[in-house]
Amino acid sequence: MTNKLLLCFTFLFVICGSISGQEKEDKRILKADEKYKQYSFRPAIDIYEKVRSEGYVNSDLLTKLGDSYYFNAEYAKAAEVYGELVQGSDSILGADIVFRYAQSLKTIGSYEESDKWMQEFNKIAKKLELNSKAGYNYLDKIEANSDRYEFKEFKYNSAYSDFAPSFYRKGLIFASDRDTGNLARYRHTWNSRDFLDLYKINADSVSTNRVVKIDVLERRLKNNGDDLTGKEEKDDKLPKKKNRINSRFHESTSTLTKDGNTLYFTRNNFIDGKRYEDEEGFTRLKIYSAEWNDGKWVNVVELPFNLEGFSFAHPTLSPDEKFLYFVSDLTGGYGNTDIWKVEIVGDGTFGNPINLGGNINTQARETFPFISDSDLLYFSSDGHPGLGGLDVFTTKIAFDDYSQEVVNLGKPINTEFDDFSYIIDDSTKQGYFASNRPEGLGLDDIYAFVETVPVPIDCIREITGTVRDKISNEVLAGATVKIIDDENNEVSTTLTNSKGEYRLELDCSKNNFVRALKDGYIASEVFLPKSDGKPKTVDFYLERDVVTGGFGDDLAKLLQLSTIYFDLNKYNIRPDAEIEIQKVIAAMERYPSLKIKVNSHTDSQGRDEYNLWLSQQRAQSTVDYMISMGIEKERLVGQGYGETMLINECENGVPCSASKHQLNRRSEFIILE
């Protein structure tokens, strides 16, 4: 990339060595240093190289010359100059110089040498607690992700720089510094190229297959689609100059709302028709918006979250259009430029910028974000392990989770050169990106592609839980638990252990069902939509398909309920008994034909006649409670048996403990039908 849109981003330059008296007196060096300070790298390079050819070389000159080449994307020359610097310098090199040297080596295919310097950078970064993304098996990973794209023809490139495509109605918008024949030509001194404007392709029926500036009105085009904007015809409907998107300076990197009525784009800080310089003398990049009205773009305004002294660029919208993502060198970031987001509140109001964090942002450059409808964030970086220069990466950011794996898209999207401004349509798998690879027509070219095999984005979610009987709450060992996708295909399966527990993993980037099954029970399943990958507990409570019992069986035992006990001389329902009776009620609701008889008993303490009366009260209180919970009285019978059915030796006259007497004060639920 020719780095035009990085024009005003602030970079950390480490100046090695000192300036001798002879250097201070060299007016050429002073002039080059001034150009360098102003990011006018092309004039600075010309002067530094002239002085260097005369044999005047030191670490300060080599540092600035190497940086000038690096930030102008001339990586082969940068590698040469940095190589001379590291070989001849006795001082400790700064982390940024080591990093740029390693990146420059990578772009010319010197991967082994690049890895050596990345290891050196990691040592420095660890001491400085910088955020390092270096890894030494990254080439294998990149190779595994390669060959997933097929390139298509894109016939709209020029001999200049064409990049930053974005979807626009039925066509594209992109940035270019192509020669449009205007009477006035404006150049910037970063690389001595023309300033950028926004162009559109296929945006309307008249300009089909033609490239025209975005401000051009349909009726100002000839039938063959030629652009007449070079002629300043009088036209009341043409936006006034100060209200047009394209100005005398940079415009680039745009994103359009789905209704087509709001455009966000990047521009040099341009106020009241004049370029605005901050206190340091720099013209920063800002994000602007424009509104579509009556067939033209109007109301071009700077967004309020732009701050003076910093640059804001490369806007893109989240799929729900609630957030605007962008790139900035704001304080509080991780590197030269980071990806941030801001909430779109509405009515021209925005929230505060939020950094996406250290998993996505590095100590280097993250830039050109784009978010697909499937919540995949694509961006370019020279901080994550890549092939050299800027590479395109992707990561899943659904549910505001920015901790997922960052994946290099591999070849042929990425090369040892700058590859950037990637966009894709999820529905067609067609997309575009830009690169400064040498086989292109211009300095930067747009490439069209079709994604043939999706890049694997691992989103693994752990699902755990237990399977129990719905009525008895008994854990069910040996139950089958399956993961089923939304096309009813079985993805994985397992069995519950002796504690009724299971564990499975699923792809959280897809919709899934978790299904539990066991013989004698009705299967149950839970739908799990796409998620952020956080672990989830899913417990199942299965219903029996039949009650496996018959006339005279105790339903409580079949359901493995706890025994219904009563206090001494009491017939009210205790709280612990209420819980178990609720399970009997659930069974009767599940099986409408079920009828039961409540048999209640007492211990042997007290007179026999009293105990018979007490047990009848206990049976009736149980029946009354169940009726109050909605069970029809015709399905219930209650009978007390006093002390006639003791379950132990505690008869009259036999000494027993209180706990043994308690066992006899009970109710049973006998199946009648």
Side-chain angles (χ1 to χ4, degrees):
M1 185 182 67
T2 54
N3 286 296
K4 292 174 289 301
L5 283 192
L6 298 177
L7 172 63
C8 299
F9 283 127
T10 303
F11 297 96
L12 175 64
F13 298 123
V14 175
I15 309 301
C16 304
S18 60
I19 303 177
S20 67
Q22 178 183 356
E23 295 170 35
K24 294 180 180 179
E25 296 172 358
D26 193 322
K27 293 182 179 180
R28 292 180 301 173
I29 293 293
L30 293 176
K31 183 177 180 180
D33 289 347
E34 185 64 27
K35 295 294 184 183
Y36 175 85
K37 182 180 178 181
Q38 297 172 355
Y39 304 135
S40 298
F41 292 127
R42 175 48 57 189
I45 288 173
D46 293 341
I47 298 173
Y48 287 138
E49 285 289 16
K50 177 65 175 177
V51 174
R52 183 187 181 202
S53 67
E54 296 173 1
Y56 182 81
V57 179
N58 69 0
S59 59
D60 180 61
L61 183 145
L62 292 175
T63 297
K64 292 176 180 176
L65 179 58
D67 286 343
S68 297
Y69 279 128
Y70 184 87
F71 293 123
N72 216 30
E74 298 179 59
Y75 297 118
K77 293 181 179 179
E80 174 193 346
V81 174
Y82 286 141
E84 184 177 345
L85 172 64
V86 300
Q87 293 298 324
S89 177
D90 294 329
S91 60
I92 298 176
L93 296 172
D96 53 345
I97 296 299
V98 174
F99 179 82
R100 291 174 200 147
Y101 183 38
Q103 292 295 314
S104 300
L105 288 169
K106 194 183 298 182
T107 64
I108 60 176
S110 299
Y111 293 112
E112 185 174 343
E113 186 71 8
S114 174
D115 279 351
K116 184 185 77 172
W117 284 100
M118 278 305 297
Q119 292 181 45
E120 183 64 26
F121 168 76
N122 282 338
K123 294 177 183 177
I124 302 173
K126 187 175 182 180
K127 293 179 181 178
L128 299 177
E129 296 183 350
L130 295 176
N131 180 25
S132 172
K133 298 291 184 182
Y136 301 108
N137 61 343
Y138 67 89
L139 290 177
D140 293 338
K141 292 182 179 179
I142 293 174
E143 188 65 30
N145 287 338
S146 295
D147 301 322
R148 298 173 182 270
Y149 294 87
E150 178 182 340
F151 282 4
K152 299 294 183 180
E153 179 186 12
F154 187 81
K155 57 184 178 181
Y156 305 105
N157 288 311
S158 69
Y160 299 88
S161 288
D162 304 293
F163 65 103
S166 66
F167 296 116
Y168 180 74
R169 307 184 192 280
K170 295 182 180 180
L172 292 176
I173 302 176
F174 67 94
S176 178
D177 65 350
R178 61 185 59 199
D179 185 352
T180 59
N182 287 341
L183 297 177
R185 300 297 302 279
Y186 302 99
R187 293 175 178 267
H188 60 84
T189 55
W190 179 291
N191 58 5
S192 296
R193 301 299 307 171
D194 294 328
F195 281 92
L196 298 160
D197 281 333
L198 288 176
Y199 292 79
K200 60 184 177 180
I201 306 170
N202 207 28
D204 51 71
S205 59
V206 178
S207 63
T208 298
N209 295 324
R210 296 286 181 174
V211 177
V212 296
K213 285 190 175 183
I214 192 171
D215 290 309
V216 174
L217 300 178
E218 294 180 18
R219 68 188 192 84
R220 288 178 57 84
L221 298 172
K222 292 180 180 178
N223 290 333
N224 63 3
D226 290 338
D227 183 357
L228 297 182
T229 53
K231 300 177 181 180
E232 292 300 328
E233 302 176 3
K234 184 177 180 181
D235 191 330
D236 294 336
K237 291 191 176 181
L238 189 66
K240 296 180 180 180
K241 286 185 178 181
K242 68 177 183 179
N243 203 31
R244 297 179 194 175
I245 291 176
N246 288 322
S247 69
R248 295 187 298 119
F249 301 103
H250 277 307
E251 284 79 29
S252 187
T253 325
S254 61
T255 186
L256 184 70
T257 55
K258 292 177 181 178
D259 63 10
N261 292 330
T262 303
L263 182 75
Y264 300 97
F265 64 96
T266 305
R267 174 193 275 180
N268 280 129
N269 202 2
F270 193 59
I271 300 175
D272 295 330
K274 298 180 180 180
R275 184 175 64 180
Y276 176 79
E277 295 182 352
D278 62 16
E279 294 179 354
E280 298 179 28
F282 300 130
T283 300
R284 307 285 178 178
L285 296 174
K286 303 296 181 184
I287 297 176
Y288 290 73
S289 67
E291 295 178 358
W292 183 255
N293 183 42
D294 192 25
K296 58 180 178 289
W297 290 109
V298 298
N299 195 25
V300 177
V301 296
E302 179 187 339
L303 300 188
F305 59 84
N306 291 300
L307 299 178
E308 297 305 327
F310 303 97
S311 283
F312 297 76
H314 313 323
T316 192
L317 286 162
S318 61
D320 60 9
E321 299 189 347
K322 293 181 179 179
F323 287 89
L324 189 70
Y325 289 71
F326 60 92
V327 173
S328 179
D329 57 354
L330 267 172
T331 301
Y334 291 82
N336 285 335
T337 58
D338 283 8
I339 301 175
W340 301 69
K341 72 173 184 178
V342 64
E343 183 181 6
I344 302 173
V345 180
D347 297 327
T349 304
F350 294 79
N352 295 319
I354 301 171
N355 192 286
L356 296 198
N359 182 59
I360 292 174
N361 293 312
T362 70
Q363 77 291 329
R365 295 178 293 177
E366 277 67 51
T367 187
F368 292 106
F370 171 79
I371 305 173
S372 70
D373 287 339
S374 57
D375 290 310
L376 288 177
L377 168 65
Y378 296 89
F379 64 97
S380 290
S381 171
D382 60 4
H384 291 274
L387 296 175
L390 291 172
D391 276 17
V392 181
F393 297 83
T394 186
T395 184
K396 191 78 171 180
I397 61 167
F399 307 97
D400 294 327
D401 177 22
Y402 303 105
S403 64
Q404 297 294 324
E405 180 185 14
V406 175
V407 177
N408 187 298
L409 294 192
K411 301 175 182 178
I413 296 295
N414 290 322
T415 64
E416 63 270 29
F417 301 95
D418 282 332
D419 309 293
F420 53 98
S421 61
Y422 175 106
I423 62 173
I424 188 170
D425 184 328
D426 274 346
S427 61
T428 64
K429 298 301 180 184
Q430 297 181 8
Y432 304 87
F433 75 103
S435 178
N436 67 350
R437 57 193 67 184
E439 63 266 27
L441 177 65
L443 295 177
D444 299 307
D445 292 279
I446 296 173
Y447 294 82
F449 66 80
V450 175
E451 183 186 59
T452 56
V453 180
V455 174
I457 304 295
D458 292 333
C459 183
I460 304 302
R461 189 180 198 186
E462 182 183 68
I463 307 298
T464 58
T466 57
V467 181
R468 296 175 178 270
D469 185 295
K470 182 177 181 180
I471 297 175
S472 69
N473 206 41
E474 172 197 7
V475 297
L476 299 179
T480 301
V481 184
K482 298 181 177 182
I483 301 297
I484 308 294
D485 65 19
D486 54 10
E487 295 181 356
N488 205 35
N489 297 313
E490 182 178 317
V491 177
S492 59
T493 184
T494 189
L495 297 176
T496 56
N497 60 20
S498 61
K499 298 180 180 179
E501 301 168 336
Y502 74 92
R503 177 189 174 278
L504 285 169
E505 291 182 344
L506 54 75
D507 183 352
C508 60
S509 66
K510 300 179 180 179
N511 296 324
N512 293 276
F513 294 87
V514 186
R515 185 179 300 169
L517 312 95
K518 187 172 176 59
D519 290 342
Y521 289 84
I522 299 173
S524 177
E525 68 180 22
V526 173
F527 173 66
L528 296 180
K530 300 174 184 178
S531 72
D532 57 4
K534 295 179 180 178
K536 184 174 180 61
T537 298
V538 179
D539 293 325
F540 290 95
Y541 296 87
L542 302 185
E543 295 182 354
R544 295 173 184 263
D545 53 4
V546 295
V547 176
T548 54
F551 178 80
D553 289 332
D554 186 351
L555 181 62
K557 291 181 179 179
L558 295 175
L559 299 177
Q560 297 186 337
L561 305 183
S562 299
T563 304
I564 307 299
Y565 290 121
F566 294 87
D567 292 330
L568 180 64
N569 292 324
K570 299 289 182 64
Y571 54 83
N572 61 290
I573 305 299
R574 298 191 331 195
D576 60 333
E578 185 176 352
I579 294 173
E580 301 307 307
I581 296 174
Q582 286 286 357
K583 297 175 183 178
V584 176
I585 292 171
M588 296 191 73
E589 291 174 341
R590 175 70 180 85
Y591 308 106
S593 62
L594 182 63
K595 295 182 180 180
I596 64 171
K597 178 184 178 184
V598 180
N599 292 344
S600 294
H601 308 273
T602 69
D603 58 31
S604 62
Q605 300 178 86
R607 293 180 294 109
D608 292 353
E609 296 82 2
Y610 171 77
N611 286 338
L612 186 61
W613 174 86
L614 181 60
S615 64
Q616 185 62 43
Q617 296 303 310
R618 288 174 175 172
Q620 192 61 46
S621 66
T622 303
V623 169
D624 290 344
Y625 177 82
M626 297 177 70
I627 292 172
S628 72
M629 293 291 106
I631 302 300
E632 299 88 341
K633 63 180 180 180
E634 293 81 8
R635 300 172 61 193
L636 299 168
V637 176
Q639 183 173 348
Y641 289 88
E643 56 184 276
T644 62
M645 294 184 181
L646 301 176
I647 63 172
N648 54 29
E649 74 280 7
C650 299
E651 299 176 354
N652 290 332
V654 177
C656 283
S657 64
S659 59
K660 283 191 174 184
H661 281 303
Q662 169 72 85
L663 297 177
N664 289 310
R665 299 192 297 267
R666 69 199 190 280
S667 284
E668 301 163 335
F669 300 87
I670 306 302
I671 297 174
L672 296 179
E673 182 179 328

